[in-house]
Amino acid sequence: MLDIAHGFNGPSTFVQSSVLQSPVALDADGQIVPQLAKAWTQPTPDTYVFELRDDVVFSDGTPMTAEDVAFSLERHLDPAVASQAAGLLTAVESVRASGKHEVTVDLKFPTQAFLASAPMVWQVVPKSLAEAHPQDLGTPEVGVIGTGPYKVTKFSLTDGIVLEANSEYWGPKPAIERVKVVAITDPEAMRLAISSGSVDGTSFIPPEDARKWTDMKGVDTRFFAGNSIASIYLNVQDPHLSDVHVRRAIAHAVNTEAVQRLVVGDQAQPAQTIVTVPQLKALYGDDFEEVTSDLPSYPYDLDAAKSELAKSEFPDGFEMTVNYSSGSESADALQAIAADLSTIGIEVVLNPVPDDAYWSTLMRHEDLTIGITDLGYGSADVGELLPDFLTSTGAKAEGFNFSQYSTPEMDAKVTEALSLTGDARKLVVTDILTEVADQALYVPLYSTNAGIALNERYAGDIGVWTRDYFSAIRPVDQ
């Protein structure tokens, strides 16, 4: 789907970002910069006013209007649209065209998370097209029209997508005139296609196979810190896991380094908390480890694990069932975790569940005990992640707070963190992360590195915050 409302996933947004644009974007450092807006102001803590460019037209030649821009955000708030991006816009109260080239967004409460999410979710499309197709915009049958450097000239579920340079584009013309995007789901088939030259590039590289990719001749493969976090969630509503000493025992008993090696090899950075490395750097600077090293921690230590379990209501251990997707790559990791826990008296019964049924049950938050999640984020703002992991909203069905830890006090802290900037925000976030670690709600595992492989005929300045990959790539002779 070439519409984030119903295609909020990596492969879809990979293409969307070259066709669709937002009033604001991310620069190479993850900072918010103008895109379709020339500038913006914040007259009150809960109001943003965007001054739009007056030279932008859609790829069909139709001028972009303030009404188009306003509706492109407002549509995500409409329950009839059932947008997958709605969860990132819960703070938005209203949006309106407040002038010929001006859009005003009113928030329910002050939060920095809105502007941080805007580059990803506020994709501007013609109002008339989106109104006519609330559910099927971006499908092969309807297509999509944007303001970006590329336009869609062919879209087939079987033959792929063809993009061509948008002659109406208001910005610099891309160096690559035509791009064909094909779906190759098997990683080894993708690697062989890149090696043979039948495919020129990809950003979907299994980190555990990094050496295979970096050893290929005629291909430039690079890795960089990704904006994701893998962790083990511990459901505090479970009768056994409600005991903090049990959770701390589990945290000490799991060999997180071994889990990382098993799942992603060396292409990851060990996680010290639930926040991604790029988000930690954006908040605290390059010295973020001075903060994370002071958080309560649970190094791999079986004696410490047994000591914690002895303090719990279950000193002799217990048995619990852990569901997992039968088609998941995490099965081996869960088996390793189960073996670790068995050494301290916690017997894990692994229950494979068909993929669709597993994800449906997981998102309804049914039968939760422990499990592995690896969540990716689109901005450098920690305010995008904290509500997912820690709030009462995230603990509801379809949310990502699988620890089910939610208190009015934590909700208030997260809300406060979203509204603050600078040192004040650092203090509140540090307090939040300290509580998360002290309560052992999650066992942080790793942040997986992202990668890109390009045929040596091409080069590109691509990093963690690059959204429009195709415009960033050029022939090496240019």
Side-chain angles (χ1 to χ4, degrees):
M1 291 284 282
L2 300 183
D3 172 27
I4 202 164
H6 302 108
F8 198 173
N9 56 70
S12 296
T13 57
F14 181 72
V15 178
Q16 293 164 16
S17 298
S18 295
V19 177
L20 303 168
Q21 295 182 305
S22 165
V24 292
L26 295 177
D27 67 10
D29 297 319
Q31 300 302 305
I32 307 294
V33 294
Q35 193 173 65
L36 297 179
K38 293 192 294 185
W40 68 91
T41 58
Q42 197 173 1
T44 65
D46 55 1
T47 302
Y48 285 89
V49 179
F50 296 87
E51 179 188 357
L52 304 177
R53 300 180 62 97
D54 58 8
D55 59 348
V56 178
V57 298
F58 290 104
S59 59
D60 65 352
T62 305
M64 181 191 76
T65 68
E67 286 77 14
D68 293 320
V69 177
F71 186 78
S72 294
L73 180 63
E74 184 180 34
R75 62 189 288 258
H76 294 292
L77 311 180
D78 184 355
V81 174
S83 171
Q84 295 173 0
L88 294 177
L89 299 169
T90 55
V92 176
E93 178 69 31
S94 64
V95 55
R96 65 189 186 280
S98 49
K100 184 177 181 181
H101 300 294
E102 182 182 277
V103 170
T104 297
V105 178
D106 294 311
L107 304 180
K108 298 173 185 175
F109 49 85
T111 174
Q112 301 299 313
F114 162 69
L115 197 63
S117 299
M120 178 169 50
V121 302
W122 195 351
Q123 297 176 343
V124 175
V125 294
K127 179 180 179 181
S128 58
L129 181 64
E131 278 187 320
H133 299 279
Q135 293 290 336
D136 58 353
L137 180 67
T139 60
E141 294 76 19
V142 175
V144 71
I145 296 173
T147 63
Y150 287 93
K151 63 181 179 180
V152 180
T153 58
K154 181 181 178 181
F155 183 9
S156 166
L157 294 179
T158 56
D159 296 332
I161 299 170
V162 175
L163 304 180
E164 294 183 1
N166 175 14
S167 61
E168 303 287 347
Y169 182 47
W170 57 272
K173 303 302 180 184
I176 308 296
E177 178 68 26
R178 184 177 184 273
V179 178
K180 183 175 182 180
V181 182
V182 295
I184 302 177
T185 57
D186 180 74
E188 184 61 11
M190 173 68 83
R191 191 183 70 82
L192 293 174
I194 295 286
S195 179
S196 69
S198 60
V199 172
D200 291 312
T202 183
S203 65
F204 299 99
I205 303 173
E208 66 273 17
D209 294 335
R211 180 161 297 185
K212 288 183 180 179
W213 287 77
T214 54
D215 286 346
M216 286 193 296
K217 295 182 179 179
V219 178
D220 178 21
T221 301
R222 288 171 284 141
F223 292 89
F224 45 88
N227 198 32
S228 65
I229 187 73
S231 62
I232 303 170
Y233 65 79
L234 307 173
N235 176 17
V236 301
Q237 303 301 322
D238 177 83
H240 299 109
L241 300 175
S242 62
D243 190 318
V244 68
H245 296 292
V246 169
R247 300 196 300 271
R248 290 171 180 165
I250 291 174
H252 272 303
V254 174
N255 187 338
T256 56
E257 291 185 9
V259 172
Q260 174 189 317
R261 290 195 301 270
L262 189 62
V263 180
V264 294
D266 295 330
Q267 288 300 330
Q269 302 178 61
Q272 296 173 297
T273 184
I274 60 171
V275 178
T276 72
V277 170
Q279 289 174 342
L280 288 169
K281 286 185 177 180
L283 180 62
Y284 297 110
D286 290 336
D287 297 329
F288 69 90
E289 290 184 341
E290 293 182 5
V291 176
T292 57
S293 63
D294 286 339
L295 299 174
S297 62
Y298 306 93
Y300 178 52
D301 186 332
L302 294 180
D303 289 335
K306 292 174 182 177
S307 177
E308 282 290 347
L309 193 63
K311 300 175 187 176
S312 77
E313 296 181 9
F314 311 97
D316 298 324
F318 56 89
E319 179 179 290
M320 67 176 173
T321 298
V322 174
N323 295 332
Y324 71 96
S325 170
S326 56
S328 171
E329 297 176 353
S330 66
D332 289 344
L334 286 171
Q335 290 175 355
I337 292 168
D340 286 340
L341 298 184
S342 179
T343 62
I344 64 170
I346 300 176
E347 300 299 330
V348 175
V349 178
L350 294 175
N351 179 40
V353 178
D355 193 62
D356 289 345
Y358 168 78
W359 287 108
S360 177
T361 301
L362 177 70
M363 296 311 296
R364 291 198 304 268
H365 295 184
E366 296 176 358
D367 301 327
L368 295 177
T369 51
I370 69 172
I372 298 175
T373 60
D374 192 349
L375 302 180
Y377 290 89
S379 79
D381 194 316
V382 68
E384 183 190 355
L385 177 148
L386 294 179
D388 272 357
F389 276 78
L390 299 170
T391 64
S392 56
T393 299
K396 295 177 182 177
E398 302 304 319
F400 293 95
N401 181 359
F402 301 122
S403 78
Q404 298 291 284
Y405 182 83
S406 63
T407 66
E409 293 77 16
M410 179 58 79
D411 281 353
K413 287 181 183 180
V414 171
T415 299
E416 183 182 13
L418 299 185
S419 69
L420 297 173
T421 59
D423 289 342
R425 176 178 248 205
K426 293 178 186 178
L427 288 173
V428 175
V429 172
T430 302
D431 183 44
I432 289 171
L433 297 182
T434 300
E435 180 175 342
V436 171
D438 179 67
Q439 291 295 314
L441 307 177
Y442 297 89
V443 181
L445 294 174
Y446 50 82
S447 287
T448 307
N449 292 337
I452 182 168
L454 288 175
N455 186 289
E456 63 181 0
R457 295 182 293 116
Y458 298 95
D461 299 320
I462 292 172
V464 63
W465 304 121
T466 304
R467 292 292 173 267
D468 177 10
Y469 276 58
F470 303 136
S471 294
I473 296 172
R474 65 189 183 281
V476 293
D477 56 3
Q478 288 190 12

